[in-house]
């Protein structure tokens, strides 16, 4: 799934300036996780709350975000219970199907409405981390998590994948809208598919890290000018 994970990451970076939380929804990322990138994916090695419990993390609600993305070569068609093309609006709450076809490898359908939680005292946390002899200056720290609520995520590694979602027409209209709270059934003609429809969890991440300047450490935006913190760090940043 490495290529698919990288594609998912590319989509979030381009559309929302976020880094992917892979696997989406099912992961356990939280604010204060720290670690390194491995082949473009963030891997945690610890968490500030557990490893440095004396450092307080002040967390509050952040911005909301939404995304409605479909890879090139991907099509979606609604069908009635007999497999005939029909608009979902004309079917009421009758049984229906939504067929998604992926003609290219590493293709994605991502529809999500997201809320976020963010670390509010990054500068203070950065100054305290800078005093820890055990802190690795290469570590990046999760400072914001974007949570999808009832999101629609379907990722296909293979070209020629067909995914069929069966439910009542009114629930399938929720799928098109990107926030699902009804029951449905998912079938695919390929095994290399990741899907999460109607579930909630972390989809995107933002980071900060300490930056070394000369013989000391400075924190960007820090009121005391002792340390510099690089905020909203994405994969590929080399500081």
């Amino acid at each position: 799934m490495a290529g698919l994970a990288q594609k998912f990451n590319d989509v979030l970076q381009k559309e929302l300036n976020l880094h992917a939380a892979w696997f989406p929804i099912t992961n356990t990322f939280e604010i204060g996780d720290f670690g390194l990138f491995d082949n473009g994916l963030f891997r945690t090695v610890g968490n500030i709350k557990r490893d440095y419990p004396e450092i307080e993390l002040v967390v509050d609600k952040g911005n909301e975000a939404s995304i409605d993305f479909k890879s090139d070569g991907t099509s979606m068609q609604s069908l009635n219970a007999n497999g005939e093309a029909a608009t979902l609006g004309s079917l009421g709450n009758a049984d229906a199907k939504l067929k998604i076809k992926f003609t290219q490898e590493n293709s994605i359908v991502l529809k999500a409405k997201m809320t976020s939680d963010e670390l509010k005292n990054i500068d203070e946390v950065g100054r305290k981390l800078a005093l820890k002899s055990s802190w690795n200056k290469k570590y990046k720290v999760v400072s914001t998590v974007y949570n999808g609520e009832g999101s629609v995520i379907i990722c296909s590694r293979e070209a020629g994948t067909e995914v069929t979602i069966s439910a009542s027409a009114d629930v399938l209209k929720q799928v098109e809208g990107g926030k699902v709270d009804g029951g449905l059934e998912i079938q695919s003609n390929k095994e290399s598919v990741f899907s999460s429809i109607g579930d909630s969890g972390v989809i995107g991440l933002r980071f900060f890290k300490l930056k070394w300047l000369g013989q000391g450490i400075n924190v960007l935006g820090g009121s005391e000018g002792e340390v510099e913190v690089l905020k909203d760090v994405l994969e590929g940043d080399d500081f």
Side-chain angles (χ1 to χ4, degrees):
M1 288 264 182
L4 187 55
Q6 185 59 58
K7 180 64 176 180
F8 190 82
N9 186 59
D10 291 345
V11 169
L12 282 183
Q13 287 195 6
K14 181 178 179 180
E15 299 292 323
L16 295 174
N17 196 35
L18 297 177
H19 197 283
W22 188 261
F23 288 95
I25 302 294
T26 61
N27 66 81
T28 58
F29 291 122
E30 59 182 330
I31 290 174
D33 282 343
F34 59 86
L36 302 167
F37 285 98
D38 179 16
N39 291 324
L41 298 180
F42 180 65
R43 308 293 187 190
T44 58
V45 298
N47 182 278
I48 292 173
K49 289 185 292 185
R50 293 188 294 271
D51 295 280
Y52 303 98
E54 69 279 7
I55 299 179
E56 181 184 10
L57 303 182
V58 178
V59 177
D60 205 347
K61 295 297 182 183
N63 296 327
E64 297 182 356
S66 62
I67 186 170
D68 187 348
F69 177 85
K70 181 174 65 177
S71 293
D72 292 340
T74 299
S75 63
M76 303 177 67
Q77 183 182 29
S78 53
L79 309 169
N80 62 23
N82 297 321
E84 303 165 331
T87 60
L88 295 176
S90 68
L91 297 176
N93 64 350
D95 290 343
K97 297 180 179 180
L98 189 63
K99 180 166 287 189
I100 303 172
K101 295 182 179 181
F102 299 99
T103 62
Q104 301 179 19
E105 64 180 14
N106 296 327
S107 292
I108 294 167
V109 169
L110 172 55
K111 297 172 177 283
K113 301 180 187 303
M114 294 179 282
T115 60
S116 72
D117 295 304
E118 65 180 20
L119 182 64
K120 296 296 186 178
N121 62 332
I122 290 179
D123 293 347
E124 177 187 358
V125 172
R127 286 192 292 270
K128 291 180 178 179
L129 287 174
L131 299 175
K132 302 295 183 181
S133 60
S134 60
W135 186 255
N136 185 338
K137 62 181 180 292
K138 294 182 179 180
Y139 285 154
K140 295 178 183 179
V141 183
V142 176
S143 59
T144 309
V145 295
Y146 277 79
N147 300 281
E149 301 177 359
S151 304
V152 176
I153 305 173
I154 306 173
C155 305
S156 170
R157 189 175 64 185
E158 297 181 60
T161 298
E162 294 187 7
V163 175
T164 303
I165 307 172
S166 301
S168 61
D170 51 356
V171 169
L172 292 181
K173 287 180 67 176
Q174 294 177 15
V175 173
E176 290 184 334
K179 189 172 182 180
V180 183
D181 57 14
L184 40 77
E185 177 185 343
I186 305 171
Q187 294 180 325
S188 174
N189 67 336
K190 305 280 188 179
E191 294 184 357
S192 55
V193 172
F194 171 86
S195 63
S196 176
I197 302 178
D199 298 317
S200 300
V202 180
I203 294 176
L205 305 169
R206 284 205 171 118
F207 303 88
F208 77 87
K209 73 184 293 290
L210 302 188
K211 180 178 180 180
W212 287 75
L213 294 178
Q215 299 300 315
I217 309 174
N218 296 333
V219 176
L220 184 64
S223 58
E224 299 178 20
E226 296 177 24
V227 227
E228 184 172 351
V229 169
L230 302 174
K231 304 173 184 177
D232 299 343
V233 178
L234 292 175
E235 176 209 349
D237 293 333
D238 185 15
F239 298 107

